[in-house]
Amino acid sequence: MASTTLYEKIWSRHTVIEETAEHPAVLYIDRHLIHEVTTPQAFAELEARGLSVHRPDLTTATCDHSTPTLPRRADGSYPYATDAARNQVETLEANCARHGIELFGWGSDHRGVVHVMGPELGLTLPGSTIVCGDSHTATHGAFGALAFGIGTSEVGHVLATQCLLQRRSKTMAVEIEGLLQPGVTAKDLILGLIAEIGVGGGSGCVIEYRGEAVRALSMEGRMTVCNMSIEAGARAGLIAPDDVTFDWLAKRPRAPQGEAFERAREDWRTLRSDDEASFDKTISFDAGRLSPRITWGSDPAMGAGIDAAVPPPANAAARDALDYMQLAPGKPAAGTPVNAVFVGSCTNGRLSDLMDAARVLRGRRVADGVRMLVVPGSEQVKREAEALGLHEIFLAAGAQWREPGCSMCLAMNGDGGQPGELVVSTSNRNFKGRQGPGVRTVLASPMTAAASAVAGAIADPRIYAEGSDAA
Amino acid sequence: MPHKLEPISTIVSTPYVLDAPNIDTDQIIPARFLTTTSRDGMGELLFNDWRGEDGAFTPALAAQSKILVAAENFGCGSSREHAAWAISDFGFRAVLSPLLADIFRANALKNGLLAVEIVPSVYDAIAAQPDAQIEIDLESQTIKAAGQEAQFDIDPFARRCLLDGVDAMGFLTSRISDIEAFEKARA
């Protein structure tokens, strides 16, 4: 048999009808994750056509994007930002009830940002296909699942048939050698990689991340890397599963249990690209030379090491971005005053991310005049963080400890910045206006975000490292 | 009523050019407008934050065009189909760019919006002569613009859907017995 890539192995396991010149392949979807924002029009279309949900048992819902992160009011109601937001969540609740779809909604112990919740529950399994009306679905690729974002029309297709029409993607291997230095995290790794290949560098490709730096990452770190594949324009990101993956999955409620888990694990071990498999494109990247990263512009590729100067603008887009960000080329962005800090999102809203932020904040204070929101990625992350006392560290430092949700990542639930404010954010996109009109977003790791909150300015987290006198 | 699509064969119009790379979906339609449960009325929100006196988007001018032209990597960012709905609802029938983001292109083609890539030289010619009329012929996959004539690529299935004014749901639901056989075989 010819040597094949991990992507091709998963693809061929899910091909219901092969692609031809006339039509794309019919690809079977093992898990459809849905949320309130990108589904109401799909359910409406289904009903207009008299169609039903083909496999409600393979569909899992949560609400995360439009949901408030402030606690319930005294009367028990949820403090939605707008009536439209409330209506959207209630529409999801009604659609799930009507079609028999399990909803981890309000009151559930597992509600959370969809890409934090799925893996936590063990719904994300190696070798499976996972889609969601959300571009950060690539997160699940960290488990060796083929996972990608789809639009609302395609949400309708999967609801009606559990399948999608897809053309085979090109494949790109990213060989990441070297090991991350102290104070440098998975977030810095993916920001560094995107800066190198560009926001269109992965266009049309499924990226497989390989090499010793990837093997050394925790599952949480791998999710952070795969999460931002879309920011390089890639269709999906993949990491071959290994013992780190299997150990993580062994405790998950919806993963196979007991003997079924043992059998599944034997199969999962075969899910790797063959040694001789060829990729359409291969690049190498050295993780060992990375510093903590920050972005200085208005897309995720416009970034630099925190100890480096903002580069001179290479083109009109970069000039425009620097103008928007009010940053000057030729000197480091570090030291620039910060108005707000956000720790959370499907990129960095997991327990390990909150632990990173807490290590920096322990015994320190958020600088006067700086607002800091810490938003756990899910109810489970919130419970686990509180069991460790992390919330007390955040509150003692003067940060806000919120309810789970997408929050300031895309600022559609009422959380956001004011025009002109500079926000250091652990989320995934620094597009103009992403966190509110005129808001300037700097992407960074949870450690860098926390260090910036303490310093009141963009700061290198290594000065606050444990045992460092500099703090 | 199922959502209706208008068949496309030829599109003739002057372009509306946004000469900037990497125009993301947060620019096309900001997230704060996504709490809607409808797909209608999005055109009024298209490039909302680019409108106004110094803005890069002038609705009165854009409304005279059926063809939106932008520099490379148009539609990058989120999977929100609202971006395609907004462009279509505003009145555009086609989007041309040297590089289109994957999910945006897939969404557009499912909504009767002809999103295709053009070679950089054609883009440059259009950007240099934004008042020149463009003719797009979907049947022959040709574009005539600013004195140039070029072929464009489009997935044959998407092309058929656009020419016929249908979407892919019919194809998938007609294969449901194959899908059920697949489910049975792997159970």
Side-chain angles (χ1 to χ4, degrees):
Chain A
M1 212 177 107
S3 295
T4 51
T5 62
L6 173 56
Y7 169 69
E8 286 155 344
K9 288 180 185 183
I10 303 173
W11 175 272
S12 63
R13 286 181 177 200
H14 292 86
T15 313
V16 177
I17 300 173
E18 296 285 347
E19 67 182 313
T20 68
E22 286 75 41
H23 63 77
V26 175
L27 190 73
Y28 197 78
I29 303 303
D30 294 318
R31 179 61 53 184
H32 188 194
L33 299 169
I34 64 172
H35 62 82
E36 73 275 25
V37 179
T38 55
T39 55
Q41 298 87 349
F43 280 110
E45 189 65 20
L46 226 62
E47 280 163 31
R49 292 173 187 242
L51 297 168
S52 57
V53 176
H54 181 61
R55 293 294 300 267
D57 57 320
L58 301 183
T59 312
T60 309
T62 191
C63 44
D64 53 4
H65 285 64
S66 301
T67 50
T69 59
L70 289 166
R72 281 203 269 184
R73 299 193 187 95
D75 65 2
S77 65
Y78 293 98
Y80 285 101
T82 61
D83 288 341
R86 176 197 311 280
N87 177 55
Q88 196 171 51
V89 171
E90 289 175 357
T91 300
L92 179 73
E93 290 168 343
N95 281 327
C96 289
R98 189 176 308 130
H99 294 280
I101 293 167
E102 187 172 25
L103 168 65
F104 293 98
W106 290 124
S108 158
D109 288 346
H110 292 286
R111 190 186 69 81
V113 179
V114 62
H115 310 307
V116 178
M117 180 197 76
E120 241 171 37
L121 282 167
L123 291 171
T124 303
L125 298 176
S128 64
T129 48
I130 300 173
V131 296
C132 175
D134 189 286
S135 60
H136 293 109
T137 308
T139 310
H140 308 265
F143 293 80
L146 175 59
F148 51 91
I150 57 177
T152 296
S153 293
E154 291 178 316
V155 169
H157 298 167
V158 182
L159 288 173
T161 68
Q162 203 57 31
C163 286
L164 275 178
L165 286 167
Q166 289 286 301
R167 292 281 178 192
R168 198 183 282 244
S169 295
K170 291 190 297 238
T171 53
M172 177 171 175
V174 177
E175 302 280 354
I176 310 177
E177 303 305 334
L179 291 173
L180 296 170
Q181 299 288 319
V184 184
T185 67
K187 179 62 165 292
D188 304 300
L189 169 56
I190 189 65
L191 284 172
L193 178 67
I194 294 167
E196 184 153 309
I197 69 175
V199 287
S203 285
C205 294
V206 169
I207 295 177
E208 183 179 335
Y209 301 97
R210 302 146 60 91
E212 66 172 327
V214 177
R215 294 284 137 233
L217 289 174
S218 66
M219 272 325 297
E220 287 80 1
R222 294 178 187 187
M223 284 189 259
T224 299
V225 169
C226 286
N227 172 275
M228 290 191 70
S229 302
I230 183 74
E231 311 318 334
R235 193 89 180 98
L238 274 176
I239 293 174
D242 59 14
D243 285 332
V244 174
T245 324
F246 309 143
D247 290 349
W248 203 92
L249 284 169
K251 301 162 238 147
R252 307 291 151 181
R254 299 296 173 96
Q257 307 288 322
E259 270 184 43
F261 183 84
E262 299 305 320
R263 276 198 306 276
R265 184 165 55 185
E266 288 318 299
D267 175 50
W268 294 341
R269 286 193 194 283
T270 69
L271 292 169
R272 48 187 294 278
S273 292
D274 298 328
D275 293 341
E276 305 301 316
S278 69
F279 292 82
D280 294 299
K281 206 189 243 184
T282 299
I283 64 160
S284 304
F285 188 77
D286 179 7
R289 63 175 173 77
L290 284 171
S291 303
R293 304 281 307 185
I294 47 116
T295 57
W296 48 259
S298 56
D299 74 42
M302 293 177 174
I306 195 154
D307 38 17
V310 173
N315 50 42
R319 260 193 303 281
D320 178 60
L322 284 174
D323 192 42
Y324 180 83
M325 292 299 292
Q326 300 168 38
L327 290 173
K331 56 178 200 177
T336 307
V338 164
N339 301 100
V341 171
F342 170 59
V343 173
S345 85
C346 59
T347 310
N348 281 130
R350 298 181 187 81
L351 185 65
S352 59
D353 301 311
L354 303 190
M355 290 168 76
D356 277 354
R359 264 194 296 276
V360 173
L361 285 173
R362 182 181 292 128
R364 299 193 175 95
R365 291 278 307 168
V366 174
D368 286 345
V370 175
R371 192 166 81 250
M372 180 174 186
L373 264 69
V374 183
V375 183
S378 68
E379 296 288 347
Q380 182 171 327
V381 169
K382 181 167 181 250
R383 271 195 309 281
E384 290 173 351
E386 290 183 350
L388 294 172
L390 301 186
H391 63 309
E392 285 160 4
I393 296 172
F394 296 131
L395 290 168
Q400 301 177 43
W401 176 241
R402 295 288 189 100
E403 300 296 320
C406 300
S407 183
M408 279 183 75
C409 173
L410 80 171
M412 67 174 291
N413 74 329
D415 300 343
Q418 296 300 312
E421 281 193 336
L422 190 129
V423 181
V424 178
S425 179
T426 67
S427 53
N428 40 58
R429 292 192 174 130
N430 52 339
F431 299 151
K432 288 179 188 173
R434 170 87 174 174
Q435 297 188 299
V439 176
R440 301 175 292 149
T441 301
V442 171
L443 300 179
S445 74
M447 268 192 264
T448 303
S452 302
V454 171
I458 298 171
D460 189 329
R462 294 171 295 191
I463 60 174
Y464 296 114
E466 275 158 310
S468 164
D469 298 333
Chain B
M1 282 284 287
H3 187 69
K4 271 241 163 52
L5 297 175
E6 258 182 66
I8 288 179
S9 55
T10 56
I11 303 168
V12 181
S13 164
T14 52
Y16 186 74
V17 181
L18 291 170
D19 189 16
N22 306 320
I23 295 176
D24 59 79
T25 52
D26 277 282
Q27 310 311 310
I28 300 170
I29 183 158
R32 63 185 182 279
F33 299 126
L34 303 189
T35 50
T36 178
T37 55
S38 155
R39 53 189 293 158
D40 300 324
M42 298 256 143
E44 287 173 27
L45 303 170
L46 178 64
F47 290 112
N48 184 82
D49 295 354
W50 288 21
R51 297 182 180 212
E53 242 173 80
D54 300 325
F57 185 75
T58 312
L61 281 178
Q64 294 168 24
S65 173
K66 291 181 189 148
I67 303 172
L68 181 63
V69 181
E72 73 274 10
N73 204 24
F74 183 80
C76 63
S78 90
S79 63
R80 63 188 72 158
E81 196 159 316
H82 310 66
W85 296 336
I87 293 170
S88 185
D89 185 56
F90 185 86
F92 290 112
R93 305 297 315 278
V95 177
L96 307 178
S97 169
L99 178 66
L100 287 164
D102 279 342
I103 307 178
F104 172 78
R105 172 164 48 187
N107 287 340
L109 295 175
K110 288 179 179 64
N111 284 278
L113 181 63
L114 179 63
V116 293
E117 290 176 350
I118 49 177
V119 294
S121 62
V122 171
Y123 174 79
D124 292 341
I126 295 172
Q129 292 184 57
D131 297 329
Q133 190 158 276
I134 295 178
E135 281 181 55
I136 305 172
D137 186 79
L138 181 55
E139 188 71 55
S140 63
Q141 294 178 225
T142 52
I143 173 168
K144 290 181 198 163
Q148 298 209 25
E149 183 166 345
Q151 294 286 124
F152 60 83
D153 287 332
I154 182 169
D155 180 78
F157 183 82
R159 174 173 165 276
R160 196 70 254 160
C161 286
L162 289 169
L163 286 168
D164 295 346
V166 298
D167 79 353
M169 183 73 99
F171 181 90
L172 278 168
T173 51
S174 72
R175 301 303 196 276
I176 201 77
S177 58
D178 292 301
I179 295 167
E180 285 173 348
F182 178 88
E183 287 175 323
K184 217 169 156 188
R186 71 205 294 257

